[in-house]
Amino acid sequence: IFMWMIRRSHDGLTSTQHRILAGLCISDIILSLHFASFGILMPVEVNYWSWNARGSMATCRLDTFLGEFGGCLGLWYNASLCILSLAIVKYEKSDDYIRTRIEPFLHAVPFVSIAGFCIWRLTT
């Protein structure tokens, strides 16, 4: 629904808030892909525990990666939205200042930290 609202608005993705909400929607889509598998990606060896398990260890790791990445990315983007609101309301920063100085960190920190964490979890 957010993506439809952003697409129909006159600002589109030119607003910082809309870009952060788009990132939040992307994280929700990734997390929904994890939940939509319904255990199909789990290894066949755990069929006694999980109904309809048809995958391998690689698909299980992919499913875990999607779950961790999407879930944690959503939390970080919610924090980014809070930081954006703080910068606008309390510190009264201009749109140009936010767009050039703050917004790159509002997108880079969630993706880099969560990607690093999830890749570290895959390797250990």
Side-chain angles (χ1 to χ4, degrees), residues 1-23 25 84 99 103 107:
I1 293 176
F2 281 129
M3 294 305 284
W4 179 73
M5 289 172 43
I6 290 170
R7 195 178 157 128
R8 289 191 47 104
S9 74
H10 295 291
D11 293 337
L13 286 175
T14 58
S15 168
T16 302
Q17 181 181 8
H18 287 174
R19 286 190 291 269
I20 291 176
L21 283 174
C25 288
L84 175 68
R99 188 178 303 116
E103 187 181 2
H107 293 288

Side-chain angles (χ1 to χ4, degrees), residues 33-48:
L33 287 174
H34 163 69
F35 287 125
S37 69
F38 293 114
I40 292 173
L41 298 176
M42 292 188 117
V44 178
E45 292 84 18
V46 295
N47 199 15
Y48 64 92

Side-chain angles (χ1 to χ4, degrees), residues 2-3 15 43 63 77 80 84 87 90 97 102 106:
F2 281 129
M3 294 305 284
S15 168
D63 190 41
Y77 264 112
S80 294
L84 175 68
K90 180 168 177 151
Y97 182 84
I102 298 175
L106 295 179

Side-chain angles (χ1 to χ4, degrees), residues 80-114:
S80 294
L81 198 58
C82 292
I83 291 171
L84 175 68
S85 299
L86 182 72
I88 292 171
V89 174
K90 180 168 177 151
Y91 295 111
E92 299 175 355
K93 299 296 181 183
S94 67
D95 287 339
D96 291 334
Y97 182 84
I98 291 173
R99 188 178 303 116
T100 57
R101 299 274 177 111
I102 298 175
E103 187 181 2
F105 293 104
L106 295 179
H107 293 288
V109 169
F111 269 105
V112 170
S113 62
I114 297 305

